[in-house]
Amino acid sequence: MYNITIIAGARPNFMKIAPIIHEIENAKNRGNAIDYRLVHTGQHYDKNMSGDFFEQLQIPEPHVNLECSGGSQAVQTANILIAFEKELLANPTDLVLVVGDVTSTMACALVAQKLHTEVAHVEGGIRSNDWTMPEEINRLVTDSISNYFFTTSDTANDYLKKSGVKDEQIFFVGNTMIDTLLKQMPNFKKPVVWNELSLKTKEYIVMTLHRPANVDEENQLKSMIDEIMKHSGNIPIVFPVHPRTAKILERLDISHNRLHTISPLSYLEFNFLVKNAKAVITDSGGITEEASIMNVPCMTLRDNTERPETITLGTNELVGTNPSNIAPYLNKLFSGNWKQSKDIPLWDGHTAERIIKHLLNLN
């Protein structure tokens, strides 16, 4: 029996591992000797991660939750190292599979290698080249100690090869996040806010901001929002906002008639909003991927991206963090000149199938 321990530490990780779990189940049903254990490190506490959440993704609840939420990055890393070492010693495995770039990804890869267990990194090789982002450090460390890499793009393959990874360790498979998106699209749910705000298809903008560089710098946040409101015509801006950011907004006394701050939404509700929006303004990498596949114009308020294919082939534009950059992009949007999405290689809904096929060959 080939046993795989799958690590998830934050809500987006579950979108990435759901199709992998489905494919392991399919492989088992076909008679393959493969099984998995799902470990949730509990890195991000999220009240929306109830039984309904796992039901929506059609995956079972994790076998264990290590409950390592809270604390500084160092404290969290240390807690995950200690808790996952106990978990792995109690439940040895043939392979630890980590996804994305959160603290859990790096910490669990470290534990696995110290216990002489192979590591596979889903989304290996992506880089922003911005070392101020904790995610970039997590990527660099995880990739430096992984045995196998499941990649989303040729750019990621090139980064890995330049860093000395051998061709036979790299498997270009596509993007499991898109597997989940394409599978769940028919299930998207209209959120309550749709009727409350009388929203109409393609007549509102969705905004998400969570990076400390944007939300913790109070004047920066105020300037950005003021610029967006000034150049977005008469349409509503819907802003699902983290409680921490909500407190900053209150303190700054930011209020515009068209700016609607709402509580965070479930995956199916949020993507319903994105799919029907005129555009998305964000600083999230994952949302740029989803918007590109749904052909929704996307503006990224960052100076770099680890997902360049969303710009070269998708609907994403890198606006930067200078508020004065925002107006030309909004003018372009309202003039109807936004680029259309093209096919992104292997972002086709079959990534997890390719991953499990490779894993069975490795065994």
Side-chain angles (χ1 to χ4, degrees):
M1 180 66 71
Y2 189 44
N3 289 305
I4 300 169
T5 292
I6 301 173
I7 306 296
R11 196 161 76 138
N13 288 172
F14 285 94
M15 320 313 176
K16 295 171 186 179
I17 57 98
I20 296 171
I21 288 173
H22 298 150
E23 284 308 315
I24 290 175
E25 295 289 358
N26 290 341
K28 277 169 70 175
N29 292 337
R30 291 193 301 269
N32 291 287
I34 186 170
D35 208 352
Y36 73 94
R37 181 173 173 83
L38 176 56
V39 174
H40 180 15
T41 65
Q43 178 186 327
H44 288 172
Y45 172 75
D46 187 332
K47 68 179 190 303
N48 289 325
M49 291 225 343
S50 60
D52 289 351
F53 172 81
F54 298 106
E55 207 173 291
Q56 280 186 4
L57 291 177
Q58 297 160 300
I59 58 172
E61 294 204 31
H63 293 88
V64 64
N65 185 332
L66 303 181
E67 298 182 351
C68 296
S69 64
S72 68
Q73 299 236 356
V75 168
Q76 198 166 68
T77 303
N79 287 341
I80 296 167
L81 288 171
I82 293 164
F84 185 57
E85 183 183 56
K86 288 177 186 167
E87 157 65 26
L88 198 53
L89 286 168
N91 299 281
T93 189
D94 297 304
L95 178 86
V96 170
L97 186 142
V98 295
V99 298
D101 50 27
V102 297
T103 301
S104 303
T105 309
M106 172 189 70
C108 292
L110 274 168
V111 169
Q113 286 295 4
K114 296 240 178 175
L115 293 179
H116 313 296
T117 305
E118 290 193 317
V119 175
H121 186 198
V122 175
E123 280 193 1
I126 66 173
R127 296 286 184 274
S128 67
N129 295 310
D130 178 357
W131 284 31
T132 67
M133 291 173 63
E135 296 93 335
E136 185 72 354
I137 306 304
N138 295 339
R139 292 178 199 124
L140 287 162
V141 174
T142 304
D143 282 344
S144 70
I145 56 172
S146 291
N147 303 90
Y148 309 110
F149 305 85
F150 294 111
T151 62
T152 58
S153 69
D154 277 328
T155 311
N157 299 341
D158 291 343
Y159 270 119
L160 291 170
K161 288 172 187 175
K162 281 175 187 165
S163 67
V165 177
K166 298 181 178 69
D167 285 359
E168 57 267 28
Q169 295 173 275
I170 301 169
F171 305 98
F172 177 29
V173 291
N175 190 334
T176 59
M177 193 94 155
I178 303 309
D179 287 17
T180 296
L181 182 75
L182 295 175
K183 180 173 182 172
Q184 296 297 341
M185 216 178 282
N187 304 323
F188 287 174
K189 283 167 59 176
K190 188 184 285 185
V192 172
V193 72
W194 181 272
N195 291 331
E196 285 179 350
L197 299 178
S198 304
L199 298 177
K200 292 181 183 148
T201 302
K202 305 300 175 192
E203 291 184 21
Y204 63 92
I205 290 172
V206 174
M207 178 164 74
T208 79
L209 296 173
H210 74 285
R211 295 198 180 275
N214 283 334
V215 299
D216 288 358
E217 298 289 332
E218 296 186 359
N219 291 335
Q220 169 80 356
L221 180 62
K222 187 169 185 354
S223 298
M224 277 186 164
I225 291 176
D226 286 345
E227 278 295 299
I228 290 164
M229 301 315 297
K230 187 174 169 185
H231 297 283
S232 54
N234 296 313
I235 69 173
I237 310 290
V238 184
F239 185 7
V241 64
H242 188 278
R244 192 168 65 95
T245 309
K247 285 177 188 163
I248 297 170
L249 292 174
E250 271 177 41
R251 195 162 63 241
L252 289 173
D253 195 26
I254 294 177
S255 63
H256 296 269
N257 289 339
R258 292 183 295 106
L259 178 64
H260 304 285
T261 56
I262 63 170
S263 298
L265 297 169
S266 73
Y267 175 79
L268 297 179
E269 290 174 318
F270 178 74
N271 275 302
F272 179 97
L273 273 193
V274 171
K275 187 171 188 285
N276 291 286
K278 185 174 185 67
V280 181
I281 299 173
T282 188
D283 56 10
S284 159
I287 291 170
T288 69
E289 296 175 325
E290 292 163 336
S292 288
I293 293 301
M294 293 191 279
N295 201 28
V296 175
C298 183
M299 300 170 215
T300 297
L301 302 183
R302 285 172 52 188
D303 294 317
N304 49 62
T305 179
E306 60 284 351
R307 294 166 170 87
E309 58 276 16
T310 64
I311 294 171
T312 55
L313 297 171
T315 55
N316 186 27
E317 292 281 12
L318 204 58
V319 174
T321 52
N322 185 335
S324 64
N325 293 351
I326 293 168
Y329 288 96
L330 282 168
N331 293 341
K332 187 177 176 183
L333 174 73
F334 284 99
S335 68
N337 290 329
W338 206 267
K339 61 188 176 182
Q340 298 294 299
S341 189
K342 302 183 181 81
D343 282 344
I344 301 178
L346 301 189
W347 290 26
D348 56 4
H350 299 286
T351 296
E353 292 170 38
R354 290 184 277 267
I355 289 173
I356 299 310
K357 191 175 171 187
H358 287 305
L359 286 176
L360 289 169
N361 288 336
L362 287 173
N363 180 23

